[in-house]
Amino acid sequence: MTDSTAVSVRHEGAELVGMLAMPEGPGPHPGVLVMHSALGISDSMRERGVTLARLGYAGLAVDMFGGGQNYAVTAQKARPFDELIAAPELLRARTVAWHRALVGTPGIDPARTAAIGYCFGGQCVLELARSGADLRVAVSFHGPLTTAAPAEPGQVRAHIAVYTGGKDPYVPREHVDALAQELKKAAVPHTLTVFSEAFHSFTDPNAASARLPGLAYDPIADAVSWAGAVALLAELTAP
């Protein structure tokens, strides 16, 4: 497997810098976007791209904010996150820009793409799917589920999978129920899994270090959600 290489995308004045890990062999390979939390692209997202490459997927860890920054290791507040949340059309358009970058990369099969995302990245994944992008799978791990522009019938091409915590204070049960109704109304194939004892950021072994309420690692939810995502990718991105 080759090392990760930088991928640059310019979008609405922002210079975005992601990292792409390609599997061995000539391809074309299925491609998977990896979308980060509110703190920006991180080593764990880059490592997830490498993990996907080892499984036979081109894993592209995106940068939604610009400059490849991670705000967990800087004194600057995550203003780009606030700006994107306040501009849902821009947020959705930026996810589409990254998907276009993925499908335009040599060695990637444009007809076999998917997206996975964590926390804010989970919201990004759902917005990308709602945009009508040609995805086969969209997986949200403990991401926000609300939207300014719900899915319309015939618009979403992906199978949507959502993994959320029953004790996540940022994703209450009414949001889960509202998403279920949205996807049912739009006739979107989907899987909604609620881990009854899991909190927000249940896939992050370092969740407690953030010292924010409602965050905790859950090894069972982490393992089961990842196994489900891998199974969906294998089944739905096959040639």
Side-chain angles (χ1 to χ4, degrees), residues 91-141:
L91 187 156
R92 183 176 289 191
R94 187 156 293 175
T95 68
V96 172
W98 271 114
H99 184 252
R100 288 174 179 164
L102 178 70
V103 301
T105 300
I108 294 177
D109 185 346
R112 293 190 292 148
T113 62
I116 67 174
Y118 298 81
C119 300
F120 166 67
Q123 179 180 8
C124 292
V125 163
L126 294 181
E127 289 303 304
L128 178 59
R130 289 176 175 122
S131 78
D134 189 9
L135 295 171
R136 291 197 180 183
V137 186
V139 184
S140 169
F141 299 93

Side-chain angles (χ1 to χ4, degrees), residues 8-37:
S8 296
V9 172
R10 182 173 177 81
H11 185 257
E12 297 295 332
E15 295 289 347
L16 313 173
V17 184
M19 295 298 293
L20 174 67
M22 292 290 288
E24 294 180 350
H29 306 287
V32 182
L33 294 175
V34 182
M35 297 186 155
H36 58 69
S37 76

Side-chain angles (χ1 to χ4, degrees), residues 2-228:
T2 60
D3 294 332
S4 296
T5 56
V7 175
S8 296
V9 172
R10 182 173 177 81
H11 185 257
E12 297 295 332
E15 295 289 347
L16 313 173
V17 184
M19 295 298 293
L20 174 67
M22 292 290 288
E24 294 180 350
H29 306 287
V32 182
L33 294 175
V34 182
M35 297 186 155
H36 58 69
S37 76
L39 296 177
I41 188 171
S42 63
D43 288 343
S44 64
M45 295 297 97
R46 297 183 186 96
E47 290 165 5
R48 185 60 81 193
V50 171
T51 297
L52 287 164
R54 290 173 180 154
L55 294 173
Y57 306 93
L60 176 54
V62 312
D63 169 20
M64 289 290 290
F65 300 154
Q69 289 195 62
N70 180 266
Y71 292 88
V73 295
T74 69
Q76 183 179 355
K77 293 182 180 179
R79 287 187 63 247
F81 166 74
D82 298 327
E83 292 168 359
L84 282 179
I85 290 297
E89 292 183 0
L90 175 62
L91 187 156
R92 183 176 289 191
R94 187 156 293 175
T95 68
V96 172
W98 271 114
H99 184 252
R100 288 174 179 164
L102 178 70
V103 301
T105 300
I108 294 177
D109 185 346
R112 293 190 292 148
T113 62
I116 67 174
Y118 298 81
C119 300
F120 166 67
Q123 179 180 8
C124 292
V125 163
L126 294 181
E127 289 303 304
L128 178 59
R130 289 176 175 122
S131 78
D134 189 9
L135 295 171
R136 291 197 180 183
V137 186
V139 184
S140 169
F141 299 93
H142 45 78
L145 307 178
T146 58
T147 183
E152 297 291 340
Q155 184 175 14
V156 177
R157 306 186 192 188
H159 180 110
I160 288 180
V162 169
Y163 297 98
T164 191
K167 294 184 177 180
D168 187 338
Y170 308 104
V171 187
R173 184 71 205 199
E174 55 264 32
H175 290 185
V176 179
D177 293 341
L179 178 67
Q181 288 301 313
E182 175 191 348
L183 298 180
K184 181 179 179 180
K185 183 178 179 180
V188 178
H190 61 276
T191 305
L192 300 179
T193 302
V194 179
F195 298 103
S196 64
E197 300 304 304
F199 290 84
H200 192 65
S201 294
F202 59 75
T203 64
D204 183 2
N206 299 311
S209 66
R211 298 182 180 178
L212 294 174
L215 275 63
Y217 177 61
D218 188 309
I220 293 176
D222 184 17
V224 171
S225 60
W226 178 244

